[in-house]
Amino acid sequence: MFFGEYAHQLDAKFRMRMPSQYKSEFDGRYAFCLEQEDTLSVYPVKEIEEKCALLKSLAPFDEEVDELYSDYASGVHIVAEDPQGRIVIPAELRKDADLGKNIVIYAARDHVCITSKERRDERKKVT
């Protein structure tokens, strides 16, 4: 389970470090996906595997379920930490989420979200 919000910066090679409060949940492997516009979702790999298994089990011979599974699973990017504990956000997802240098990482139930600091500040003003 995740709690809190942390401001970070991407380095020149678009690498980041996961906040230490979240790190133990991931085991050095991160499943990135774009589940909502301009915000990345980052799941522990075991959580994504469980979600995919659930999707596959819904109706094993249903073409719509197969398509849903394919759409979801094809958008997931598994990333491992480098030896220094840094993570490179996949370029395609970084572009889709329109991430710049300043980012915010925040808790969202069974995963964390990453968005730009500007977008996070805008959302906080609205709510």
Side-chain angles (χ1 to χ4, degrees):
M1 188 170 288
F2 300 98
F3 298 97
E5 177 174 305
Y6 304 91
H8 276 275
Q9 289 187 334
L10 298 178
D11 69 13
K13 294 181 180 180
F14 305 107
R15 297 175 297 200
M16 60 167 272
R17 293 183 194 276
M18 188 58 69
S20 60
Q21 294 82 347
Y22 298 157
K23 212 171 164 113
S24 66
E25 295 288 327
F26 289 98
D27 272 342
R29 295 179 64 225
Y30 304 82
F32 283 83
C33 55
L34 187 70
E35 292 183 325
Q36 58 179 312
E37 187 179 342
D38 70 27
T39 301
L40 296 180
S41 295
V42 188
Y43 289 89
V45 171
K46 66 181 184 240
E47 291 288 335
I48 277 292
E49 289 171 345
E50 289 172 10
K51 285 181 182 298
C52 288
L54 175 64
L55 278 174
K56 285 175 66 174
S57 72
L58 290 176
F61 302 106
D62 186 321
E63 288 182 23
E64 287 182 33
V65 172
D66 285 345
E67 190 172 322
L68 176 64
Y69 172 82
S70 293
D71 288 347
Y72 188 75
S74 66
V76 175
H77 299 259
I78 307 293
V79 177
E81 291 179 353
D82 70 11
Q84 288 76 37
R86 299 171 298 198
I87 310 159
V88 177
I89 297 176
E92 174 186 335
L93 294 178
R94 192 178 66 247
K95 181 181 173 189
D96 290 345
D98 195 25
L99 296 180
K101 183 175 183 169
N102 296 309
I103 61 172
V104 176
I105 305 164
Y106 60 95
R109 283 192 221 163
D110 60 349
H111 65 285
V112 298
C113 292
I114 299 174
T115 193
S116 71
K117 180 176 180 344
E118 297 80 18
R119 225 165 274 106
R120 185 68 174 159
D121 290 345
E122 286 172 17
R123 286 189 185 133
K124 283 183 169 183
K125 287 179 187 175
V126 173
T127 58

